[in-house]
Amino acid sequence: MTPEDCSPDTSSCVSPQKKRNHSDTETDITSETDSPDSDRQCKRVHYDQSESSLSRTDSESPVFLKNIPKYTSKWTEEVLPCLRIQVAQDFPDMHNVFLQGCLHFIADPTKCAEIMDLFVSKNDNEQMVIECFRHVMQNVFTLHCDDISNVKLDELGKMENMLTSREWIDNFAERSQNKKFCRRVFKDLAKKLQQFVWQLMHMVRKSQNQGKEISEGMYQELFVLFAKTFNLNILSGSNVEKYSLDIGDDGRFVAVPDAVICHPTTEEDNLCAVVEVKKYWSDEETSNQTVRSLRKCERKISNPLHVGSDLQGQHVGQILCALPYSLFGERGNFGILVQGTKVTISSFKADNSYYKNLQNGFLMKKGATITFSKECNILRKEGRIECIQTFLHLKKLLEFLSKKSFP
C-alpha cells in the first residue's frame, strides 16, 4: 500500500545517520526526501557508493547506509545494490518461482527431496481437489476480463446465484468416484468464492454506480478473500505487526507488510510469504498526478517490466525485515505482490550467513537474489488457473514443515 495509506510506516522517514568520512563523495538526493510533502512526489535517491561493497574485493565490505530511508515503504531499487541484493533478469512462471525457492530454502537434501515428492505425487483426494478448483475457476466463476472497470454487476449476480446452486455440484459429483468428498470440496469452495464475489460487487458499485475511487484497502481485502479460497491462513491489516532490521550499530529499518501468510496454529510466527498490495499496475493509464509521477520513475527500470523501481525496493525491504520469522530461517522467504488484481510471486534467496553479516554491518562476499514471476490476473480465467497449483502447494508446504495440518 502507498505510504499515505499506511500511517505506521510513514510517520517519520528519517535516514539513519553515519559519521561522514573525508573520502565520501557528495550524495545527490532530492530536497523533498524528508519534507512533509515528500510522499506526493517522485523521489529518485542516489546512494553514496564511492566505497560500494559491489566494487570491493577484500574479505569484508562495509554496508553503507547513508540516505537509505528508515521505513522500507520509501525504498527503491537503488537501495538493493547497497545491500548486495540482485534482481534476477528473468521472471518465470509462478509455480517455477515457487519450486526454485523451495530448492534453495530447504538446506537438507533429504527433506528437500521429500518436499519435491510431496508436490509430484498426488493421492486421489488431492487430485480431486485440483480438478474441483479448475472446474469452478473456469466454468462456475466465469469472470474473464482485464480489470474491474470491465466487470458487470449483472454478470456477478449470475455467478453468485450459480455458486449457491447445488445443481452443478451434483452434476460433477455424480461422475466422481468419491462423491461425498467431491461435494464437500465444492461446498467449501463455493462458500468462499461467494464472499469474493460480494467484495467484487462492492467495489464495482462504488466505482461504476457511485463514481467513487476504489481504495487500496478494497484491493487488499479482495486478494485476502481469494487466498482464503485455497484455505491459506492470511493475516492482514491490524493483525500484521511491524518488523525491523538492525544493520551495524546505527542502522534500524522498519517495515509493515500489508499481509502475511503463515501457519495458524504453531506457537511461533512462521511466515511463508510476505504480501504487498498496490492499487495500480505499471501499465495502467490514470489521471492521478501522484501515480503518473510514479509511473514516470518506473519506466527507467528495464526488468522485470511489471514490477516498478519503488515496488522492488519496498517489497525486498519488507521480506528482509521479516526474515527472522521466516519458516525457512535466514535462507530466504516468499513474497506476493498484488497490483490491482494482478498477482506476482517472488522468492528472496540469501547466501549462507548473509543476514548475520548484514546485521553486523559487513557483507563478506555474501549476497541475495530476488526473483519475480510473471503476473497473473485473477479476473481472467487463465490467471486464476495459474494460481491454483502454487497456492495449494504453499499450504501443503506450510503443513509439511510445521508438521501440523489445518483445514
Side-chain angles (χ1 to χ4, degrees):
M1 296 176 69
T2 59
E4 293 90 341
D5 291 320
C6 192
S7 56
D9 201 22
T10 61
S11 57
S12 175
C13 182
V14 180
S15 301
Q17 299 296 315
K18 282 181 70 75
K19 290 183 180 179
R20 187 178 181 85
N21 297 326
H22 292 294
S23 60
D24 290 345
T25 60
E26 288 295 320
T27 302
D28 178 15
I29 179 169
T30 52
S31 59
E32 70 270 14
T33 302
D34 295 314
S35 69
D37 297 327
S38 61
D39 286 342
R40 292 190 289 273
Q41 302 191 35
C42 181
K43 300 178 291 297
R44 303 301 297 173
V45 182
H46 301 281
Y47 303 103
D48 185 358
Q49 295 188 38
S50 57
E51 296 183 64
S52 170
S53 61
L54 296 180
S55 61
R56 303 265 304 220
T57 56
D58 50 350
S59 60
E60 284 193 348
S61 299
V63 180
F64 288 87
L65 308 176
K66 193 187 314 178
N67 296 319
I68 297 180
K70 175 181 178 180
Y71 292 97
T72 61
S73 62
K74 292 182 178 289
W75 284 17
T76 71
E77 60 163 339
E78 292 173 303
V79 175
L80 306 186
C82 303
L83 305 178
R84 205 186 283 275
I85 299 171
Q86 293 184 334
V87 179
Q89 294 302 301
D90 60 339
F91 37 108
D93 292 337
M94 183 179 287
H95 195 251
N96 286 336
V97 172
F98 173 76
L99 292 178
Q100 290 170 17
C102 291
L103 290 172
H104 176 85
F105 298 153
I106 313 301
D108 184 345
T110 302
K111 183 178 288 187
C112 190
E114 289 180 26
I115 291 173
M116 292 300 118
D117 288 341
L118 190 70
F119 295 151
V120 173
S121 59
K122 299 178 180 66
N123 59 38
D124 291 341
N125 283 352
E126 288 174 336
Q127 190 60 45
M128 175 59 64
V129 169
I130 294 174
E131 291 177 8
C132 288
F133 266 92
R134 284 183 174 274
H135 178 71
V136 172
M137 295 297 188
Q138 230 173 350
N139 304 313
V140 181
F141 187 75
T142 56
L143 192 64
H144 187 67
C145 59
D146 290 325
D147 56 70
I148 287 181
S149 64
N150 302 131
V151 178
K152 294 179 174 57
L153 275 174
D154 59 348
E155 186 178 358
L156 290 178
K158 291 177 182 177
M159 279 188 287
E160 196 222 355
N161 291 334
M162 182 74 164
L163 288 168
T164 56
S165 170
R166 292 193 50 128
E167 184 178 355
W168 63 273
I169 295 178
D170 292 337
N171 289 341
F172 192 96
E174 284 302 317
R175 303 194 301 268
S176 171
Q177 293 182 347
N178 191 339
K179 297 179 179 57
K180 186 177 180 180
F181 179 78
C182 181
R183 286 191 175 91
R184 188 165 72 244
V185 172
F186 273 138
K187 287 178 182 178
D188 180 69
L189 183 52
K191 183 179 179 180
K192 290 183 169 67
L193 271 178
Q194 190 177 33
Q195 293 178 318
F196 180 83
V197 170
W198 289 343
Q199 175 65 17
L200 205 51
M201 283 178 165
H202 172 66
M203 296 168 72
V204 171
R205 287 194 194 101
K206 287 283 185 183
S207 175
Q208 297 181 11
N209 294 354
Q210 302 175 25
K212 295 182 180 179
E213 194 172 4
I214 300 175
S215 69
E216 218 155 61
M218 294 178 188
Y219 280 109
Q220 181 174 313
E221 181 64 18
L222 188 69
F223 175 75
V224 167
L225 291 172
F226 181 75
K228 285 183 176 180
T229 63
F230 299 91
N231 291 318
L232 285 168
N233 181 53
I234 180 168
L235 306 178
S236 63
S238 59
N239 287 321
V240 181
E241 61 182 281
K242 288 184 179 180
Y243 297 96
S244 61
L245 166 67
D246 292 317
I247 300 179
D249 297 327
D250 54 0
R252 186 175 182 84
F253 303 97
V254 180
V256 185
D258 294 318
V260 293
I261 293 176
C262 58
H263 198 288
T265 63
T266 51
E267 294 178 2
E268 298 179 354
D269 289 340
N270 288 320
L271 306 187
C272 193
V274 175
V275 182
E276 183 169 12
V277 180
K278 292 292 181 183
K279 184 175 179 179
Y280 298 101
W281 47 89
S282 58
D283 61 352
E284 182 174 10
E285 293 296 329
T286 174
S287 60
N288 184 285
Q289 182 62 43
T290 302
V291 178
R292 279 210 310 269
S293 297
L294 181 61
R295 296 309 143 223
K296 185 177 180 181
C297 284
E298 288 181 347
R299 291 189 193 104
K300 294 181 180 180
I301 181 106
S302 59
N303 191 54
L305 296 175
H306 62 290
V307 183
S309 168
D310 288 358
L311 191 52
Q312 285 188 40
Q314 293 163 16
H315 187 58
V316 170
Q318 289 183 355
I319 295 177
L320 201 55
C321 289
L323 204 56
Y325 300 92
S326 170
L327 179 68
F328 315 106
E330 296 172 358
R331 294 181 65 84
N333 210 346
F334 291 112
I336 300 177
L337 289 174
V338 183
Q339 298 181 85
T341 58
K342 297 181 178 181
V343 179
T344 300
I345 298 292
S346 69
S347 64
F348 179 82
K349 296 176 282 190
D351 291 342
N352 291 332
S353 303
Y354 168 78
Y355 185 77
K356 290 181 180 178
N357 291 341
L358 188 63
Q359 285 182 306
N360 293 331
F362 288 89
L363 296 178
M364 302 176 67
K365 296 185 179 180
K366 301 295 182 182
T369 302
I370 181 80
T371 303
F372 295 97
S373 75
K374 297 176 183 177
E375 61 186 3
C376 298
N377 191 344
I378 59 176
L379 294 187
R380 297 184 63 85
K381 290 182 181 180
E382 68 272 11
R384 295 190 294 274
I385 296 297
E386 180 73 19
C387 291
I388 291 174
Q389 192 174 31
T390 302
F391 281 28
L392 289 178
H393 282 177
L394 200 60
K395 178 179 182 290
K396 188 181 286 191
L397 182 65
L398 265 168
E399 293 178 327
F400 177 84
L401 293 180
S402 301
K403 299 180 180 178
K404 286 185 175 184
S405 297
F406 59 95

